Amino acid sequence: MTVKRLLIGGSLLFCALLVWGFLTFFERYTEERDRGWGPEARRNRFLAAEQYLAAVGLEPRRAENLSVVNGLSADATLFIASSSLVYNPQRVAELLDWVQSGGHAIVVARTEGFDVEEQRSEARDWLLEALNVSIMQGHEEYDFAQPLQQLLGEDAELGPQQSPGEALREYNRRIGKDDSTQKEAQAEIAREKPRNPEVEPQDLVSLTSDSGVEFQLHFNASHLLYHPGLDDNTVADAPVFWARVWRDDEAVPFMQFERGSGVITLLTDSEIWHSQRIGHFDHAYFLQLLAGNGEFVFLTRPRFESLSYLARKYAAEGFFAGALALLGWLLLRARRFGPLQPAPEAKRRSLLEHISACGHYYWQQDHCEQLLRGQRAELLRRLSATDADPGSRHKLAERLSAATGLSEHDIIASLWGIPAASEESFTEHMRTLQRIEAVL
């Protein structure tokens, strides 16, 4: 009993020491690691813009068809990701009518299919034609692609003279360090890494808001917009505001038109509001200035999910539905009432069996006498002996006996005798009548 108490006391003391050591030396800390973009950010390029607008008090939402303009209020803002979504004159008229009532439309001009040599687009753009705007070749195309940053997070950024392979090896080297060294490296990277990319000052567009705040924008000027009103103030329906990237540019990256009580903002670069670029310079502030006081609708191209994504998304529902279908099939196959019936024969019976079955059926239904009488009447008609007397019958029986080899008694019994009362006599009479018919 004493040994047992000592063991229990020692165990309790050991547990108490473990708890005291854990509470004394355990230190809780949190660490935030950037794992790159999530699935929603990869599917929606304007996710950061939506979250920013929601943070400043607006009501962003998404749409996939221009028919949404029929239900928008006059103080709403409609962002159209491509002017190709305004695909016919009727849609152009609906959009312009809504703008004239006070709406604000932000439209990105379609640049896909633009022929650099001929300075024209392969497809017709109804909205640009209505605004008398054309697409022109701009400066050398900028490179905004940062695939490693989207895949591995904010730490994976290419250096000035660094290839993607070198950047990936540098990223793996950093995450392989111990915790203290990794924290110091992350702090150093955060201090050295600027918010904006390195851009020549002449490539920036500097604007001033109505409140006197100066802000800068960085457009992709590979394609620019041109309107005759940029060079001639007397042109009707000219843009009321625009900005050039370089002073000697003939075209501009964006321009604004007034139509009635509303405004149309036309630009060629929508990537300034993509998730990877909205944080650069003052792009987010520019989007806030363009937004009205009502809801903000993003009209983008319809996106259809891949089959593999839908299979992963609805795997649980598909498995549950398949299990229910399998259970229903098993219940259906297992249901049975009464004794099990033998399987029917797969073979079809022969012609002789079929004739025999038909004969038995007619015999049971008393149809054989009718068949025999019909056969007799047909033969007597052909022999012209329907109303023959006994003498004529005897002479006819002699002739038929000589021709068929049958006895006169059998011939007279078959033609004028009593109908058969049994199966054997019926068969004999029918065979005799058939032999007589054969010699006629």
Side-chain angles (χ1 to χ4, degrees):
M1 190 69 176
T2 304
V3 176
K4 185 176 180 180
R5 290 180 178 180
L6 289 175
L7 291 176
I8 295 175
S11 301
L12 293 177
L13 181 60
F14 180 72
C15 293
L17 289 175
L18 288 179
V19 173
W20 174 82
F22 177 78
L23 296 178
T24 303
F25 299 103
F26 174 76
E27 180 183 358
R28 182 185 296 273
Y29 72 96
T30 59
E31 179 182 358
E32 182 177 351
R33 294 186 179 182
D34 187 1
R35 298 181 179 271
W37 290 5
E40 181 64 23
R42 288 193 293 268
R43 289 193 300 268
N44 182 14
R45 295 175 295 178
F46 298 98
L47 180 61
E50 294 179 7
Q51 294 178 353
Y52 174 78
L53 293 176
V56 298
L58 298 179
E59 302 175 3
R61 64 182 179 93
R62 279 179 286 173
E64 295 184 352
N65 193 287
L66 192 60
S67 60
V68 69
V69 74
N70 298 322
L72 293 179
S73 59
D75 60 345
T77 303
L78 177 62
F79 173 80
I80 303 177
S82 175
S83 57
S84 61
L85 297 176
V86 191
Y87 47 83
N88 56 35
Q90 291 75 17
R91 293 301 187 186
V92 174
E94 292 178 3
L95 178 64
L96 295 180
D97 291 343
W98 173 73
V99 171
Q100 289 181 356
S101 65
H104 183 192
I106 305 174
V107 185
V108 180
R110 176 179 54 189
T111 57
E112 298 88 351
F114 179 76
D115 195 333
V116 178
E117 296 180 357
E118 299 184 6
Q119 294 291 312
R120 67 179 183 84
S121 179
E122 298 178 358
R124 189 171 184 178
D125 198 314
W126 296 97
L127 181 60
L128 296 187
E129 291 182 8
L131 298 176
N132 196 18
V133 175
S134 57
I135 304 293
M136 298 184 62
Q137 180 68 21
H139 309 163
E140 183 180 356
E141 186 173 358
Y142 299 151
D143 184 14
F144 297 112
Q146 297 176 350
L148 289 180
Q149 183 177 358
Q150 299 178 12
L151 178 63
L152 303 177
E154 297 178 355
D155 295 342
E157 184 175 4
L158 292 178
Q161 304 293 332
Q162 195 175 26
S163 65
E166 294 173 350
L168 185 59
R169 287 192 294 271
E170 178 66 18
Y171 178 79
N172 292 332
R173 183 185 64 80
R174 289 177 180 177
I175 64 175
K177 296 180 180 180
D178 52 39
D179 293 341
S180 59
T181 308
Q182 186 177 358
K183 291 179 182 179
E184 294 177 0
Q186 291 176 351
E188 181 180 357
I189 293 173
R191 289 192 300 268
E192 295 177 356
K193 178 182 175 182
R195 179 175 69 92
N196 301 324
E198 296 182 1
V199 179
E200 295 295 334
Q202 60 183 358
D203 294 334
L204 296 176
V205 176
S206 298
L207 300 175
T208 304
S209 64
D210 297 336
S211 58
V213 178
E214 294 185 358
F215 57 97
Q216 292 181 324
L217 306 174
H218 184 209
F219 287 98
N220 181 354
S222 59
H223 296 87
L224 299 176
L225 302 170
Y226 177 76
H227 189 280
L230 299 178
D231 302 325
D232 188 359
N233 296 331
T234 62
V235 176
D237 296 330
V240 296
F241 182 78
W242 65 87
R244 288 185 169 89
V245 180
W246 294 354
R247 292 188 178 183
D248 56 348
D249 285 342
E250 183 180 1
V252 297
F254 84 97
M255 58 180 63
Q256 283 188 332
F257 297 86
E258 287 185 354
R259 291 294 185 270
S261 303
V263 178
I264 298 179
T265 300
L266 192 64
L267 66 160
T268 57
D269 183 16
S270 66
E271 294 184 0
I272 62 173
W273 296 316
H274 285 187
S275 298
Q276 71 270 20
R277 289 185 58 199
I278 192 173
H280 296 167
F281 300 99
D282 299 305
H283 297 166
Y285 179 68
F286 182 51
L287 179 63
Q288 182 180 353
L289 291 179
L290 294 178
N293 298 325
E295 61 178 348
F296 195 105
V297 180
F298 287 89
L299 178 58
T300 58
R301 296 182 183 274
R303 179 182 177 86
F304 302 98
E305 304 295 348
S306 63
L307 182 60
S308 59
Y309 172 78
L310 294 176
R312 292 192 305 269
K313 183 178 180 181
Y314 299 105
E317 291 84 349
F319 177 79
F320 183 70
L324 288 180
L326 178 60
L327 179 61
W329 180 81
L330 292 175
L331 292 176
L332 178 63
R333 299 294 297 178
R335 186 178 60 182
R336 180 170 62 87
F337 297 97
L340 183 63
Q341 296 182 354
E345 295 183 1
K347 292 184 178 180
R348 300 182 61 182
R349 59 188 177 185
S350 64
L351 179 61
L352 293 178
E353 292 176 340
H354 180 73
I355 295 175
S356 176
C358 292
H360 283 290
Y361 171 78
Y362 281 112
W363 182 263
Q364 293 175 0
Q365 299 296 326
D366 294 333
H367 294 320
C368 291
E369 182 178 352
Q370 183 179 356
L371 292 175
L372 183 61
R373 290 182 182 277
Q375 185 70 10
R376 282 180 177 180
E378 179 64 20
L379 286 177
L380 291 175
R381 182 186 65 79
R382 296 175 63 180
L383 294 171
S384 301
T386 303
D387 299 325
D389 54 12
S392 299
R393 294 179 182 180
H394 183 71
K395 294 180 180 180
L396 180 60
E398 289 180 351
R399 294 197 304 270
L400 292 175
S401 178
T404 59
L406 298 173
S407 65
E408 297 181 6
H409 178 269
D410 292 340
I411 294 175
I412 293 174
S414 299
L415 288 176
W416 296 286
I418 301 174
S422 64
E423 297 180 7
E424 291 78 7
S425 61
F426 171 78
T427 304
E428 292 294 333
H429 287 174
M430 289 298 295
R431 184 180 295 112
T432 301
L433 295 176
Q434 288 176 355
R435 293 182 64 177
I436 295 171
E437 184 180 12
V439 299
L440 294 182

